[in-house]
């Protein structure tokens, strides 16, 4: 073989080896060329989706007092206008497995459903006191509401401790007047939206669990 042809073959072989080596090293094309990834690129490992809302045990024929988080281990959060929110680590919410998009007509959209699954005060009263200690709440228990973060009418679990918190009064509350929180009105409007087909069950549950003060706007129901 003439020298010119031999050198051409050797050069082609070297180029092929270099190309294979570059691909097997794990480098991206940009790295192999000495460049850098797109400035707006986010590594797949850095993309974290929100965890799903826990699913509770559902309604029980007989409820038992549930253990609450350790005293002082939970911390209230507050919106800019001082509305209370729970600690997502202690109270992420929990759903009732009996309530699904397919069972709405026989569960939350059926009159009287929630009253039939609500735990008795003999259970929730003891839980409320323990949960107030979990959150370090020292105000009047009479003025605090032992609140289902995802309400029963939105398919929240009746007695899962992850779905209940001692909700302190909202701003402007008159001491001694008992619970009177605007969150209740939001829950009623979300339930109406779900049962009328204006909002999806799971989206409403996630919105109320994340921040009840923005739930309606997130679902486009405040327009």
């Amino acid at each position: 073989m003439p020298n010119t042809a031999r050198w051409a073959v050797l050069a082609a072989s070297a180029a092929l080896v270099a190309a294979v080596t570059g691909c097997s090293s794990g480098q991206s094309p940009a790295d192999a060329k000495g460049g850098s990834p797109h400035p707006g690129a986010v590594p797949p490992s850095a993309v974290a989706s929100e965890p799903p809302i826990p699913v509770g045990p559902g309604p029980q024929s007989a409820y038992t007092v549930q253990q609450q988080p350790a005293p002082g281990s939970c911390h209230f959060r507050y919106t800019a206008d001082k509305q209370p929110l729970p600690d997502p680590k202690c109270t992420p919410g929990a759903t009732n497995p009996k309530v699904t998009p397919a069972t709405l007509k026989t569960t939350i959209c059926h009159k009287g459903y929630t009253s039939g699954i609500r735990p008795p005060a003999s259970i929730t009263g003891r839980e409320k006191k323990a949960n107030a200690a979990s959150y370090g709440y020292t105000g009047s228990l009479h003025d605090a509401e032992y609140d289902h973060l995802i309400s029963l009418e939105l398919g929240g679990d009746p007695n899962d401790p992850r779905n209940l918190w001692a909700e302190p009064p909202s701003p402007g509350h008159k001491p001694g007047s008992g619970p009177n929180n605007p969150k209740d009105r939001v829950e009623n409007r979300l339930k109406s939206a779900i049962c009328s087909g204006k909002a999806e069950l799971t989206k409403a549950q996630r919105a109320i669990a994340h921040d009840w003060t923005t739930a309606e706007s997130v679902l486009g129901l405040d327009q």
Side-chain angles (χ1 to χ4, degrees), residues 127-167:
E127 293 174 344
K128 178 181 179 179
K129 184 176 181 180
N131 189 267
S134 301
Y135 273 91
Y137 175 74
T138 57
S140 169
L141 286 179
H142 176 69
D143 287 343
E145 178 178 351
Y146 192 44
D147 176 69
H148 289 93
L149 179 59
I150 302 174
S151 66
L152 298 185
E153 62 186 340
L154 297 179
D157 192 86
N159 201 39
D160 191 314
R162 295 170 295 183
N163 195 44
L164 285 152
W165 63 304
E167 180 185 8

Side-chain angles (χ1 to χ4, degrees), residues 14-150:
L16 178 60
V17 170
V20 172
T21 303
C23 292
S24 63
S25 66
Q27 293 178 313
S28 68
D31 293 334
K33 295 177 182 178
S36 58
H38 188 279
V42 179
S45 59
V47 179
S49 59
E50 290 187 17
I53 296 175
V55 178
Q60 304 292 308
S61 57
Y63 290 100
T64 58
V65 175
Q66 298 298 297
Q67 182 176 356
Q68 303 298 310
S73 63
C74 307
H75 305 281
F76 293 118
R77 297 175 296 139
Y78 291 89
T79 64
D81 57 351
K82 306 302 181 182
Q83 294 289 359
L85 299 174
D87 188 330
K89 293 181 180 179
C90 295
T91 317
T95 60
N96 175 356
K98 300 294 185 181
V99 179
T100 69
T103 65
L104 292 178
K105 290 184 178 181
T106 58
T107 55
I108 63 173
C109 298
H110 180 73
K111 186 176 181 180
Y113 174 74
T114 59
S115 61
I117 64 171
R118 189 177 297 276
S122 59
I123 296 294
T124 58
R126 294 165 62 184
E127 293 174 344
K128 178 181 179 179
K129 184 176 181 180
N131 189 267
S134 301
Y135 273 91
Y137 175 74
T138 57
S140 169
L141 286 179
H142 176 69
D143 287 343
E145 178 178 351
Y146 192 44
D147 176 69
H148 289 93
L149 179 59
I150 302 174

Side-chain angles (χ1 to χ4, degrees), residues 164-202:
L164 285 152
W165 63 304
E167 180 185 8
S170 291
H173 177 269
K174 183 179 179 180
S177 63
N180 183 25
N181 296 313
K183 178 176 181 284
D184 297 338
R185 295 192 293 273
V186 174
E187 294 167 349
N188 291 336
R189 290 192 286 264
L190 292 191
K191 184 225 174 167
S192 295
I194 292 171
C195 293
S196 64
K198 296 179 180 178
E200 295 180 25
L201 174 67
T202 54

